[in-house]
Amino acid sequence: MLRESAGAVMNASWEVQAFEGDPAPLVIVSGDTCVAECFITGEKTESVEKAVSNALLIAAAPDLLHALQNLIGYREKHYRIPDHAIETAKKAVLKATGGSDHVATIN
């Protein structure tokens, strides 16, 4: 159940939306679904920068996963990419997919 739900959300585009409040939330959404929240606590520049960086990284997760899947699939069909780079990409894909090895098919 979790893997199917996660798959549906991972296939959609994620974006960051900022809201007013104390603490001020940065909400990562996929359509009408809240994926995650990052909160800005206080007015310190470091807190704001960290929350924004975290929100942007989370929002990029589906795109990063897709890029890694394509890299792995492309390497297996076409060119030689260093083994350590592929192993790192495979570990990231496994982590992002909950342990399922989803590798894109490249023609």
Side-chain angles (χ1 to χ4, degrees):
M1 173 78 179
L2 176 60
R3 186 170 290 153
E4 290 80 18
S5 297
V9 173
M10 287 296 289
N11 288 330
S13 178
W14 292 7
E15 62 181 47
V16 178
Q17 296 180 353
F19 294 90
E20 297 293 325
D22 188 25
L26 296 170
V27 181
I28 298 86
V29 297
S30 173
D32 293 335
T33 303
C34 175
V35 176
E37 295 177 325
C38 295
F39 291 93
I40 300 170
T41 54
E43 295 182 18
K44 293 182 180 178
T45 302
E46 299 84 24
S47 175
V48 173
E49 289 174 354
K50 185 175 182 178
V52 170
S53 294
N54 288 341
L56 292 173
L57 180 60
I58 293 167
D63 298 320
L64 294 170
L65 174 60
H66 182 71
L68 289 173
Q69 289 172 322
N70 283 333
L71 173 70
I72 294 165
Y74 188 80
R75 185 275 184 120
E76 291 175 353
K77 293 197 179 249
H78 298 287
Y79 294 100
R80 182 96 178 121
I81 296 171
D83 290 340
H84 66 87
I86 293 300
E87 288 309 310
T88 301
K90 284 183 177 181
K91 286 178 185 176
V93 169
L94 289 171
K95 183 176 181 180
T97 59
S100 177
D101 189 11
H102 290 92
V103 176
T105 302
I106 306 296
N107 295 322

